[in-house]
């Protein structure tokens, strides 16, 4: 019998197809893996409110990594613990103030399920409305009172590089920052040292699963640490080239059931 594995799934561009659904085949193989005794979890940059429906669709009963490791919890067991590692609010306000020197569209602060918009933006409001969060619009220097789980800066692609250079030059010891993929050019900022890998370590320790038996799937730069930490790091065919260079394996794309094909073969599930 195959040893028990922990299977960590990124969502956008990985588990989810481009239309944000899970293919029936991928769902079938994941269920087969669970029946075989493997542990399936989600590790995403999304907040829980925007991943809860997927968690329930897969009928999971495991911890989840949200906000790229800034919030790790078990939706069905408060006794498991809640690990929330927000940014320092003074650092956030320094960043907001510094952004006045750059061209940008908006700055969004998320405090778990409370969302603060620096400027009103119907398009971004629609994106962040999933899960019906409490939203506030207004100058973050005045309205933001709690330490944010993450900070997001929306800018044009040409300005993202300049803003990220400033963040690295001035705040490298306090924050980590990554960028979202298309179609939105958004810089995501969390407290330094946080990543999905931190969550994988906590969850694998809880289930007594050795690092070599962790299988992680991803496609973007917020998956770098997780893919490197996992004993079996798998990059999606549609993933970044740099991620593929860090991975142990490359599977098919999110549109080609890359997760299902890999798991079926690697775990000998005989589901296809």
């Amino acid at each position: 019998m195959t040893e028990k594995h922990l299977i960590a799934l990124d969502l956008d561009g990985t588990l989810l197809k481009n239309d944000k659904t899970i293919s029936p085949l991928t769902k079938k193989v994941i269920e087969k893996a669970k029946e075989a005794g493997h542990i399936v979890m989600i590790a995403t940059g999304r907040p829980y409110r925007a991943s809860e429906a997927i968690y329930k669709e897969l009928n999971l009963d495991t911890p989840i990594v949200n906000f790229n490791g800034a919030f790790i919890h078990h939706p069905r067991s408060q006794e498991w613990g809640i690990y929330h590692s927000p940014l320092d609010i003074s650092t956030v306000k320094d960043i907001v103030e510094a952004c006045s020197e750059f061209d940008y569209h908006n700055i969004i602060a998320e405090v778990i399920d409370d969302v603060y918009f620096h400027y009103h933006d119907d398009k971004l409001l629609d994106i962040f409305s999933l899960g019906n969060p409490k939203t506030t619009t207004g100058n973050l220097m005045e309205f933001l009172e709690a330490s944010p789980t993450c900070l997001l800066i929306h800018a044009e692609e040409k300005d993202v590089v300049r803003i990220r250079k400033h963040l690295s030059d001035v705040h490298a010891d306090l924050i980590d920052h990554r960028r979202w993929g298309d179609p939105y050019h958004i810089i995501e900022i969390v407290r330094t040292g946080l990543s999905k890998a931190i969550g994988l370590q906590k969850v694998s320790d809880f289930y007594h699963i050795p690092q070599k038996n962790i299988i992680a799937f991803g496609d973007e730069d917020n998956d770098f640490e997780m893919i490197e930490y996992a004993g079996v790091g798998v990059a999606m065919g549609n993933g970044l080239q740099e991620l593929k260079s860090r991975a142990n394996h490359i599977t098919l794309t999110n549109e080609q059931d890359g997760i299902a094909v890999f798991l079926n073969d690697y775990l000998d599930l005989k589901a296809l």
Side-chain angles (χ1 to χ4, degrees):
M1 176 172 172
T2 306
E3 292 182 32
K4 181 185 289 188
H5 287 72
L6 174 65
I7 302 166
L9 307 172
D10 170 55
L11 295 183
D12 299 285
T14 302
L15 174 68
L16 302 180
K17 299 197 303 176
N18 295 341
D19 64 2
K20 303 303 180 183
T21 64
I22 308 171
S23 80
L25 181 59
T26 293
K27 197 183 302 185
K28 173 187 173 183
V29 171
I30 288 172
E31 188 59 36
K32 190 81 171 179
K34 289 164 58 183
E35 291 171 1
H38 303 294
I39 307 297
V40 178
M41 65 174 289
I42 290 171
T44 179
R46 292 187 182 202
Y48 180 62
R49 67 178 184 275
S51 47
E52 181 179 11
I54 301 161
Y55 184 93
K56 291 179 176 178
E57 183 177 354
L58 293 179
N59 194 27
L60 298 182
D61 186 17
T62 50
I64 183 171
V65 177
N66 291 115
F67 291 108
N68 291 318
F71 187 47
I72 307 163
H73 60 116
H74 194 315
R76 297 187 174 179
S77 174
Q78 291 188 350
E79 295 178 0
W80 189 82
I82 294 176
Y83 303 91
H84 184 212
S85 306
L87 291 155
D88 181 81
I89 192 166
S90 62
T91 300
V92 169
K93 292 194 173 183
D94 285 346
I95 293 171
V96 172
E97 186 174 16
C99 279
S100 63
E101 303 296 321
F102 299 95
D103 291 326
Y104 70 95
H105 295 306
N106 213 336
I107 308 174
I108 305 100
E110 295 191 75
V111 185
I112 304 292
D113 285 325
D114 293 342
V115 183
Y116 296 80
F117 292 87
H118 197 55
Y119 300 121
H120 179 81
D121 187 323
D122 287 328
K123 183 166 59 176
L124 288 180
L125 277 167
D126 185 57
I127 294 171
F128 286 88
S129 65
L130 194 60
N132 297 315
K134 176 186 173 184
T135 59
T136 302
T137 299
N139 190 330
L140 294 181
M141 301 294 286
E142 301 174 13
F143 286 91
L144 187 63
E145 297 179 347
S147 296
T149 311
C150 75
L151 188 72
L152 305 166
I153 302 173
H154 181 209
E156 291 296 324
E157 186 173 16
K158 63 182 176 60
D159 298 308
V160 164
V161 175
R162 294 179 61 239
I163 297 172
R164 292 191 73 180
K165 183 179 186 305
H166 168 80
L167 294 173
S168 295
D169 290 346
V170 179
H171 300 290
D173 57 335
L174 298 172
I175 66 167
D176 285 337
H177 55 91
R178 303 173 178 86
R179 58 166 293 174
W180 286 14
D182 291 336
Y184 298 102
H185 302 292
I186 290 179
I187 304 166
E188 181 176 80
I189 303 168
V190 295
R191 204 177 82 181
T192 187
L194 296 179
S195 71
K196 295 179 182 182
I198 300 296
L200 263 60
Q201 183 177 17
K202 288 184 184 298
V203 177
S204 61
D205 286 349
F206 175 75
Y207 288 109
H208 305 293
I209 294 176
Q211 189 173 353
K212 68 180 182 67
N213 284 358
I214 300 175
I215 306 172
F217 295 90
D219 71 311
E220 282 282 351
D221 64 355
N222 64 339
D223 298 311
F224 284 171
E225 296 89 349
M226 175 173 77
I227 291 298
E228 290 185 323
Y229 180 79
V232 185
V234 186
M236 304 301 293
N238 53 289
L240 296 178
Q241 187 57 46
E242 187 176 351
L243 183 73
K244 292 177 180 178
S245 70
R246 297 172 185 235
N248 304 109
H249 304 274
I250 300 172
T251 188
L252 300 177
T253 71
N254 62 322
E255 287 288 308
Q256 298 170 312
D257 293 299
I259 289 175
V261 171
F262 183 87
L263 289 179
N264 184 70
D265 180 56
Y266 190 83
L267 299 177
D268 193 26
L269 297 174
K270 297 181 173 61
L272 302 184

